[in-house]
Amino acid sequence: MTFLDMIANAGLLVKCVMLGLVCASIFSWTVIISKSLLLKKSREKILEGIKSFEDAPNLRDALQRLGHDTTSPLYAVAQHGVNEFNKGKESQVNSKVIVDNVRRSLHQGVNNETAKLNYAISILATCANASPFVGLFGTVWGIMTSFTSIAAMKSASLATVAPGISEALAATALGLAVAIPASIAFNIFLSKIGYLENYLVDFAGTFLNRVQRELNSHTADN
């Protein structure tokens, strides 16, 4: 008996459980593939943007270089800082207030971009945690079917218990097939997002240093 035969011979309820697990598997793999591509692209853009920003001679040139790729997480973080920096200069507040406001805006920008990177990975955690229990429900139901068959036919032969046991094992296997990849991917993504968040925090610090140098230079000129 093949795995497909086990599914075909399963009862209606167990088939519904298996269908739900198959849908969860497709959904989780969609998240895994799309998130893998997103994190890979984000890492490349962040590293490239940090190098470009650090190599720029001044803040204006650095921002112009970041503006070449508006989809980069660095650009979004920098926009928070730039907007607050410009508001501070227009309000003609002192340098310390401007720096504090820019720091808070950069922190908000980092949090926003990190939240975007974390988007949808909770789905993987849900699949990893729930799928084994959903599969276990199908397992229990299959075993109950076997006992019902034994009671009805008053026989404990292999032919009597095989259908219920087979659908129980199939449900268990599907539950694990969904949970294991989702759990592994979730932990890997958490680690990668943590690294990217550190890069964003480092960039925010570099940006703030540029702002402080520019304000100090402007004060010295006056």
Side-chain angles (χ1 to χ4, degrees):
M1 181 178 291
T2 65
F3 186 76
L4 292 179
D5 291 332
M6 294 181 185
I7 296 176
N9 295 327
L12 179 60
L13 181 61
V14 177
K15 282 182 179 178
C16 291
V17 170
M18 292 180 181
L19 179 61
L21 290 172
V22 169
C23 293
S25 179
I26 294 172
F27 198 42
S28 65
W29 274 107
T30 301
V31 173
I32 289 171
I33 294 172
S34 61
K35 187 62 68 173
S36 296
L37 296 175
L38 173 64
L39 294 180
K40 183 176 182 294
K41 186 178 295 186
S42 296
R43 182 178 183 276
E44 293 173 353
K45 291 183 177 183
I46 287 173
L47 293 178
E48 182 181 350
I50 288 176
K51 185 178 184 305
S52 177
F53 188 87
E54 291 177 345
D55 291 342
N58 53 60
L59 183 60
R60 178 184 292 273
D61 289 341
L63 294 175
Q64 287 178 346
R65 294 185 182 187
L66 288 180
H68 293 158
D69 185 5
T70 57
T71 61
S72 172
L74 293 187
Y75 177 81
V77 174
Q79 279 297 105
H80 281 78
V82 170
N83 292 338
E84 195 59 45
F85 178 68
N86 291 334
K87 289 177 183 177
K89 292 181 68 176
E90 291 173 1
S91 301
Q92 296 182 347
V93 297
N94 62 63
S95 298
K96 185 178 183 304
V97 173
I98 293 177
V99 170
D100 288 340
N101 291 342
V102 170
R103 180 184 291 109
R104 285 191 292 269
S105 294
L106 291 172
H107 180 71
Q108 181 183 359
V110 170
N111 288 341
N112 290 346
E113 293 307 303
T114 303
K116 291 179 183 178
L117 295 175
N118 276 300
Y119 177 74
I121 67 167
S122 59
I123 295 173
L124 298 179
T126 301
C127 289
N129 293 327
S131 295
F133 295 102
V134 175
L136 182 60
F137 174 76
T139 303
V140 172
W141 193 267
I143 293 174
M144 289 172 58
T145 301
S146 294
F147 282 125
T148 302
S149 299
I150 292 173
M153 301 183 67
K154 298 180 180 179
S155 172
S157 65
L158 183 60
T160 303
V161 301
I165 296 298
S166 64
E167 68 182 38
L169 295 176
T172 302
L174 278 175
L176 294 176
V178 176
I180 292 173
S183 178
I184 293 173
F186 177 77
N187 290 322
I188 291 175
F189 290 157
L190 278 186
S191 176
K192 288 185 177 182
I193 291 172
Y195 282 118
L196 295 182
E197 184 179 7
N198 289 336
Y199 285 132
L200 293 176
V201 171
D202 291 341
F203 168 76
T206 303
F207 185 97
L208 191 62
N209 290 338
R210 288 263 186 176
V211 169
Q212 288 178 316
R213 285 199 295 269
E214 178 149 325
L215 290 174
N216 291 339
S217 175
H218 181 73
T219 301
D221 292 340
N222 291 337

